[in-house]
Amino acid sequence: MEGFIQLWESTGLSNFQPGQAMMMAVGFLLLYLAIKKEFEPLLLLPIGFGAVLSNIPVAGIAEEGGILSYLYLGIKSGIFPLLIFMGVGAMTDFGPMLANPKTLLLGAAAQFGIFGTLLGALALNLVPGLHFSFKDAAAIAIIGGADGPTSIYVASKLAPDLLGAIAVAAYSYMALVPLIQPPIMRALTTPEERLIEMAQLRRVSRVEKVVFPMVLLILSAMLLPSAAPLIGMFCLGNLLRESGVVDRLSKTSQNELINIVTIFLGLSVGSKLSAGQFLRAETLGILVLGALAFSFGTASGVLMAKAMNLITPNNKVNPLIGAAGVSAVPMSARVANKVGQESNPHNFLLMHAMGPNVAGVIGSAVAAGVLLALVR
């Protein structure tokens, strides 16, 4: 009889807690969104599966000594987000941004959502039951850049206990770009502005594409060293692509390496979705702030484009491309193109929108560097 009692006490059923069941349900919801709705499946699928694994009672998969605890070292050390940034750099074409440099301003404007959210997170301390330190607020704010690896990198440095909620919020809102952005874009632009057609972009030389990542790295090293890890790996990946002499390395960065790291990173994030860490009042605050941050970043980019048109009325940009300043590459650029074609089927904004889209990746890394420098 004693043996049966011991056997029962070792089962998951006898050790299940309500919180663990809820978090497993959250994990299955993420799997549903990834598989059925195809919302950011490359990361939501491993994150969701990691959430299920980490909430299995007694198994200790996410506890010290478990496989997910070892994988999490890749996030804790910053290795996984940086390797992903290298892969993103290898897949990035700076051509549209270099062909129209003023789109850098649109990418920069979209980062206002980050700093607005920083103030919003601190303001939430007025709500009973919520408390965010400046480090917590800075980690939450980076969601506004709509850049998953950057959000994870900053959270791992400043607020590792909030990592799961921040990562889920960041990737969830990135997946919802086609739903969140269009209403904001239409509300802030007139039908006439959405009809604006832009001239074909000039051809960017290979020399420009090779020199730019090195110039960007030097500027980062001189002005904002705290952003150098992110920007440095991004520039390395881009140089592998544009140099034209290391195709094998470039293809590996774009495919095998980034795919392997994405699996490990997703599982590691999922390991932080345990009931004890996720089921808190702060999590709801993070989800709300994430939505506001993303919306504010979208609006800031559109409004900056409208302001640029007032300054240079003879060389107007379609304000819709300003929404692509958030660094959800290339989804937000596609959304800008789609909304533009609703008003004018012959208006092709995709390549124009890729300029601020790529600039947004740089902008989010710079914003992350600023936040990391502020809390040192």
Side-chain angles (χ1 to χ4, degrees):
M1 187 65 179
E2 185 178 343
F4 284 110
I5 293 175
Q6 290 180 344
L7 180 61
W8 167 250
E9 290 176 347
S10 69
T11 64
L13 286 175
S14 68
N15 289 277
F16 247 122
Q17 301 295 323
Q20 292 173 319
M22 288 179 62
M23 290 312 301
M24 290 185 77
V26 170
F28 285 122
L29 174 61
L30 295 178
L31 291 173
Y32 170 79
L33 293 175
I35 298 170
K36 180 67 175 180
K37 300 297 183 180
E38 297 187 12
F39 285 175
E40 288 291 330
L42 292 179
L43 262 159
L44 287 190
L45 194 151
I47 289 175
F49 203 85
V52 174
L53 290 176
S54 64
N55 285 283
I56 297 175
V58 184
I61 297 176
E63 297 173 8
E64 186 175 354
I67 183 172
L68 295 187
S69 70
Y70 290 117
L71 289 180
Y72 182 71
L73 294 175
I75 288 182
K76 186 177 181 180
S77 63
I79 292 175
F80 288 168
L82 293 177
L83 288 177
I84 285 186
F85 238 62
M86 182 176 71
V88 171
M91 293 187 285
T92 298
D93 180 7
F94 283 125
M97 186 188 72
L98 294 174
N100 190 5
K102 66 182 181 181
T103 56
L104 272 166
L105 296 175
L106 301 178
Q111 309 313 312
F112 287 146
I114 292 175
F115 297 99
T117 307
L118 175 64
L119 299 177
L122 294 174
L124 276 183
N125 288 329
L126 298 174
V127 178
L130 291 180
H131 175 71
F132 293 119
S133 66
F134 189 84
K135 285 187 175 183
D136 294 339
I140 295 167
I142 205 68
I143 297 173
D147 190 322
T150 303
S151 298
I152 292 172
Y153 181 78
V154 173
S156 68
K157 299 295 183 183
L158 302 183
D161 56 320
L162 300 179
L163 176 64
I166 289 172
V168 168
Y171 281 105
S172 296
Y173 292 128
M174 285 172 62
L176 294 174
V177 163
L179 299 178
I180 296 174
Q181 287 197 314
I184 299 172
M185 296 159 71
R186 297 187 189 102
L188 295 178
T189 57
T190 65
E192 292 74 21
E193 288 174 327
R194 294 195 290 272
L195 288 171
I196 294 175
E197 295 188 15
M198 299 177 65
Q200 184 174 352
L201 294 171
R202 70 174 179 86
R203 182 181 176 277
V204 177
S205 69
R206 181 187 174 210
V207 173
E208 290 176 273
K209 291 185 176 183
V210 170
V211 170
F212 180 76
M214 292 186 284
V215 171
L216 178 61
L217 177 60
I218 292 172
L219 289 175
S220 170
M222 295 297 102
L223 302 176
L224 195 62
S226 54
L230 287 167
I231 291 180
M233 297 303 288
F234 185 63
C235 290
L236 171 60
N238 189 254
L239 191 59
L240 294 177
R241 168 196 174 99
E242 301 298 351
S243 66
V245 295
V246 286
D247 286 344
R248 286 170 53 192
L249 300 184
S250 177
K251 290 177 180 177
T252 298
S253 298
Q254 295 179 45
N255 298 287
E256 292 86 356
L257 180 60
I258 196 172
N259 289 338
I260 292 170
V261 175
T262 296
I263 295 172
F264 290 166
L265 183 140
L267 288 172
S268 302
V269 170
S271 73
K272 293 301 175 183
L273 295 184
S274 61
Q277 293 181 318
F278 195 84
L279 295 178
R280 299 184 297 176
E282 286 85 353
T283 301
L284 180 59
I286 290 171
L287 295 175
V288 172
L289 284 170
L292 293 176
F294 198 84
S295 300
F296 190 56
T298 299
S300 299
V302 173
L303 293 175
M304 174 59 81
K306 291 166 70 77
M308 289 168 57
N309 287 342
L310 294 176
I311 298 172
T312 57
N314 296 324
N315 187 21
K316 290 186 175 182
V317 300
N318 191 309
L320 295 176
I321 71 170
V326 297
S327 55
V329 182
M331 195 181 302
S332 57
R334 291 173 179 166
V335 170
N337 183 65
K338 181 180 178 181
V339 174
Q341 290 193 327
E342 289 174 0
S343 300
N344 179 1
H346 303 291
N347 198 4
F348 299 97
L349 298 174
L350 182 59
M351 293 310 297
H352 297 285
M354 284 303 298
N357 211 183
V358 172
V361 177
I362 299 172
S364 65
V366 170
V370 171
L371 293 175
L372 290 171
L374 286 175
V375 298
R376 279 185 176 178

